[in-house]
């Protein structure tokens, strides 16, 4: 059955439309510049920085920012909050958190022997899409995965001169320290390295892209707290590799957790030194009491502000770089058409945006079904479903709220039969009178099917009957028969009713008389000959004779 739906397909903002999206310490104060239109767009999103204990800092900071300024309203539950357009939804799942096993160590296995964890993140993404509540933005909230208790390695890296630390739970070589790339396996004995994280994250990006899922995957850096100076330096090298990798492709997005926490609100950076190498670490104010997510309230607020900036950029904001807003949209059909006359026909639409130099000229297409029904895809191609009128609408993606629309008239649509219910007059399914009749009715669904006519037929079972073209059954002999209605629209749909017949009188059609042993002669005086009368048909109601 064809259903009336509102089909909406979003065209997500492309990171190449403006400067690359990198949320670092330079954007923390710029979150105040987010236009209200993009704050409203962020409030339609669900963000999930999936991780373990450090992930709490992402979530707690957003709640603490809301407490200071209710403009930045958030909804947080332990799970995936239901859709709303009035607050940013913050996910947290599962109870045990998401660790390196779930996000990236599986990528170190050979392609033909991937562990079940290779599907963990993809399954979460797909499930939310199937639940009509997709994750808008997702990244890995690093814990001490690169600076854990595993380490230092027995020998130092021959080029960088540093020993390696790290955790690789779920990796093919066990829970061991790890380095930057495959060359470091000779030191770490571990196939997991920073390239493993980068490759796994790219795999998620390709997954959502190929499936046309509305989820943006972002790269992240991680903690800059609680480790020795050499351990901290090797971690700095790992984060530096992430930053360089993201910078090499303008379409990649980075949430630079580490850089955000290495600066305070006055723009001062804290550093330390190991073996002549100066590198940044968390500032004392951002570290604070380490009460939630291993950082203090000042650090958590900086993370929250940077998250709002990041999400607004992903929603289409130019970051305050001087965009030209859309002021008008004109929607036209191919060749100037505004009708579809063929069954399941299509019409390609074009949205002409003014001014011609608008910064973001992409649109979101939607259909509002009226007396007719149709669908529309992300390219603006309308496909007819049922006759009547529909309204195709193009909405600007730059946050201006500008729309354009076209009313389309649909005709010539064939709506097939999907079901037939057969009922007897008054709900009856029996015939009890001799040569009695029962009028049947075939109710076709949907009610607006193009051809609702049917062909009637009878399948005799233990009983016999006939049926005419109007669906009237006439009893012939006792027992059961099946009356069937078949749709005439070529759909092959049928409906049926089993009818029980009784009270039928079957007359004698013939009698043959034979003598005993086939004799027809009496040869003696006073002799006798036993006669037998055979009645046809054998199921005649009364077979007695005189």
């Amino acid at each position: 059955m064809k259903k009336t739906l509102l089909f909406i397909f979003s065209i997500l903002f492309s990171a190449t439309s403006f400067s690359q999206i990198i949320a670092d310490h330079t954007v923390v104060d710029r979150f105040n510049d987010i236009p209200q239109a993009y704050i409203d767009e962020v409030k339609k999103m669900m963000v999930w920085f999936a991780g373990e204990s450090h992930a709490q800092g992402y979530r707690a900071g957003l709640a603490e920012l809301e407490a200071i300024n209710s403009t930045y309203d958030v909804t947080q539950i332990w799970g995936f909050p239901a859709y709303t357009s009035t607050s940013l939804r913050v996910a947290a799942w599962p109870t045990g958190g998401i660790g390196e096993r779930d996000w990236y160590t599986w990528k170190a296995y050979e392609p033909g022997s991937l562990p079940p964890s290779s599907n963990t993140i993809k399954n979460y993404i797909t499930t939310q899409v199937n639940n009509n509540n997709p994750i808008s933005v997702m990244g890995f909230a690093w814990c001490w995965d690169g600076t854990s208790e595993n380490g230092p390695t027995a020998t130092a890296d021959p080029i960088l001169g540093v020993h390696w630390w790290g955790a690789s739970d779920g990796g093919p070589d066990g829970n061991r320290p790890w380095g930057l790339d495959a060359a470091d396996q000779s030191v770490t004995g571990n196939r997991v390295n920073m390239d493993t994280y980068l490759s796994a994250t790219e795999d998620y990006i390709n997954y959502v892209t190929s499936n046309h899922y509305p989820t943006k995957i972002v790269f992240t850096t991680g903690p800059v707290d609680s480790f020795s100076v050499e351990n901290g330096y090797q971690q700095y090298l790992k984060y530096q590799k992430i930053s360089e990798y993201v910078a090499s492709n303008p379409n990649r997005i980075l949430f630079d957790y580490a850089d955000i926490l290495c600066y305070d609100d006055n723009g001062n950076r804290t550093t330390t030194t190991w073996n002549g190498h100066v590198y940044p670490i968390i500032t004392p104010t951002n570290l604070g009491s380490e009460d939630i997510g291993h950082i203090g309230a000042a650090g958590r607020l900086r993370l929250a502000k940077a998250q709002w900036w990041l999400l607004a950029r992903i929603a289409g904001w130019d970051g305050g770089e001087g965009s030209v807003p859309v002021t008008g949209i004109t929607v036209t059909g191919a060749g100037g058409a505004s009708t579809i006359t063929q069954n399941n026909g299509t019409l390609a639409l074009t949205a002409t945006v003014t001014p011609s130099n608008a910064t973001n000229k992409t649109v979101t297409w939607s259909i509002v079904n009226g007396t007719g029904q149709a669908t529309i895809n992300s390219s603006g191609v309308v496909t007819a479903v049922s006759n009547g009128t529909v309204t195709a609408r193009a909405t600007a993606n730059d946050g201006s709220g500008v729309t354009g629309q076209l009313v389309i008239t649909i005709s010539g649509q064939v709506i097939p039969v999907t079901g037939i219910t057969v009922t007897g007059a008054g709900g009856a399914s029996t015939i009890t009178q001799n040569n009695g009749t029962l009028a049947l009715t075939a109710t076709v669904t949907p009610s607006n099917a193009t051809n609702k006519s049917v062909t009637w037929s009878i399948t005799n079972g233990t009983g016999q009957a006939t049926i005419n073209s109007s669906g009237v059954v006439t009893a012939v002999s006792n027992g059961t028969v099946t009356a069937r209605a078949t749709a005439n629209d070529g759909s092959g749909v049928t409906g049926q009713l089993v009818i029980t017949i009784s009270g039928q009188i079957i007359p004698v059609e013939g009698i043959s008389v034979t003598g005993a042993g086939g004799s027809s002669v009496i040869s003696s005086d006073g002799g006798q000959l036993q006669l037998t009368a055979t009645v046809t048909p054998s199921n005649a109601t009364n077979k007695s004779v005189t």
Side-chain angles (χ1 to χ4, degrees):
M1 177 183 291
K2 298 180 179 178
K3 302 178 181 178
T4 302
L5 296 172
L6 174 65
F7 293 89
I8 299 177
F9 296 82
S10 297
I11 304 173
L12 289 176
F13 168 76
S14 169
T16 59
S17 298
F18 310 113
S19 64
Q20 186 171 14
I21 302 177
I22 296 179
D24 58 15
H25 77 278
T26 66
V27 312
V28 173
D29 290 334
R30 291 165 58 194
F31 96 103
N32 283 314
D33 300 330
I34 304 173
Q36 184 61 49
Y38 287 103
I39 291 175
D40 294 340
E41 289 303 307
V42 172
K43 289 181 178 179
K44 300 174 185 177
M45 291 182 169
M46 176 160 59
V47 61
W48 186 21
F49 282 102
E52 297 170 313
S53 58
H54 277 82
Q56 298 176 57
Y58 286 84
R59 301 191 297 269
L62 289 167
E64 289 162 354
L65 177 60
E66 178 192 14
I68 296 171
N69 188 338
S70 60
T71 298
Y72 304 99
D73 186 36
V74 298
T75 297
Q76 299 192 48
I77 65 170
W78 199 255
F80 296 99
Y83 177 80
T84 176
S85 61
T86 60
S87 65
L88 168 62
R89 288 164 295 138
V90 183
W93 191 262
T95 302
I98 294 293
E100 67 271 22
R101 171 191 294 268
D102 306 296
W103 192 275
Y104 65 91
T105 59
W106 59 266
K107 193 66 175 177
Y109 285 82
E110 293 299 319
S113 59
L114 295 179
S117 56
S118 65
N119 290 314
T120 299
I121 299 302
K122 294 175 183 177
N123 287 342
Y124 278 119
I125 293 171
T126 300
T127 297
Q128 289 307 115
V129 169
N130 292 340
N131 289 338
N132 295 317
N133 187 26
I135 302 163
S136 305
V137 178
M138 186 175 185
F140 180 51
W142 290 87
C143 203
W144 288 308
D145 309 292
T147 57
S148 75
E149 69 279 0
N150 297 319
T153 51
T155 59
D157 185 283
I159 298 174
L160 299 173
V162 69
H163 294 79
W164 296 112
W165 276 260
S168 58
D169 181 39
D173 302 309
N175 197 357
R176 303 172 62 88
W178 51 273
L180 297 181
D181 52 38
D184 295 324
Q185 184 178 348
S186 61
V187 175
T188 64
N190 195 351
R191 279 170 280 180
V192 171
N193 53 66
M194 183 52 76
D195 280 340
T196 311
Y197 162 77
L198 298 173
S199 180
T201 305
E202 284 288 355
D203 196 68
Y204 301 136
I205 293 173
N206 293 333
Y207 180 73
V208 298
T209 301
S210 63
N211 286 287
H212 307 290
Y213 290 160
T215 302
K216 284 289 185 182
I217 304 295
V218 304
F219 293 87
T220 57
T221 58
V224 279
D225 54 85
S226 302
F227 39 72
S228 67
V229 287
E230 183 183 10
N231 192 342
Y233 178 65
Q234 64 91 37
Q235 179 66 92
Y236 165 72
L237 294 176
K238 291 173 179 176
Y239 295 158
Q240 188 178 48
K241 176 158 187 173
I242 296 173
S243 298
E244 292 172 351
Y245 178 81
V246 171
S248 68
N249 185 332
N251 291 318
R252 294 177 182 136
I253 303 172
L254 175 64
F255 188 82
D256 202 342
Y257 175 105
D259 185 72
I260 292 166
L261 295 181
C262 289
Y263 287 80
D264 64 22
D265 289 341
N266 296 317
N268 299 314
R269 185 171 81 153
T270 299
T271 62
T272 190
T273 303
W274 174 78
N275 199 27
H277 300 286
V278 178
Y279 67 94
I281 61 172
I282 193 168
T283 70
T285 53
N286 291 333
L287 182 62
S289 62
E290 305 178 60
D291 55 327
I292 300 177
H294 305 288
I295 58 175
R300 295 193 295 272
L301 280 175
R302 289 178 64 81
L303 293 178
K305 293 174 181 179
Q307 285 180 80
W308 273 93
W309 183 92
L310 172 81
L311 297 174
R313 286 297 312 276
I314 291 174
W317 180 43
D318 68 350
E321 297 173 355
S323 60
V324 178
V326 173
T327 59
I329 300 175
T330 302
V331 177
T332 54
S338 60
T339 61
I340 300 175
T341 58
Q342 291 184 332
N343 186 41
N344 295 322
T346 60
L347 177 62
L349 304 182
T350 300
T352 303
V353 171
T354 54
S356 59
N357 64 335
T359 305
N360 182 359
K361 293 195 285 185
T362 64
V363 299
T364 294
W365 290 102
S366 62
I367 277 283
V368 179
N369 289 319
T371 57
Q373 297 175 21
T375 62
I376 192 167
N377 68 10
S378 59
S379 299
V381 177
V382 178
T383 301
V385 174
S386 65
N387 298 328
T389 60
V390 299
T391 300
R393 182 172 294 135
T395 302
N397 285 334
D398 69 345
S400 63
V402 175
T403 63
Q405 64 184 39
L406 179 68
V407 176
I408 300 170
T409 301
I410 300 171
S411 61
Q413 304 308 298
V414 175
I415 302 175
V417 172
T418 59
I420 300 176
T421 302
V422 177
T423 54
S429 61
T430 60
I431 299 175
T432 58
Q433 291 183 334
N434 184 40
N435 296 321
T437 61
L438 177 62
L440 304 182
T441 300
T443 303
V444 171
T445 54
S447 60
N448 63 338
T450 304
N451 182 357
K452 295 195 286 182
S453 67
V454 300
T455 296
W456 292 99
S457 61
I458 277 284
T459 301
N460 290 319
T462 57
Q464 296 179 6
T466 62
I467 192 167
N468 68 13
S469 60
S470 299
V472 177
V473 177
T474 301
V476 174
S477 65
N478 297 329
T480 60
V481 299
T482 301
R484 182 173 289 110
T486 301
N488 288 330
D489 68 346
S491 63
V493 175
T494 64
Q496 62 183 39
L497 179 69
V498 175
I499 301 170
T500 301
I501 300 172
S502 61
Q504 303 308 299
I505 297 174
I506 302 175
V508 173
E509 297 177 357
I511 302 174
S512 60
V513 178
T514 57
S519 175
S520 59
V521 177
I522 300 176
S523 57
S524 61
D525 185 27
Q528 294 181 337
L529 178 62
Q530 180 66 48
L531 301 178
T532 300
T534 303
V535 173
T536 57
S538 61
N539 62 339
T541 303
N542 183 355
K543 294 192 287 182
S544 64
V545 298
T546 299

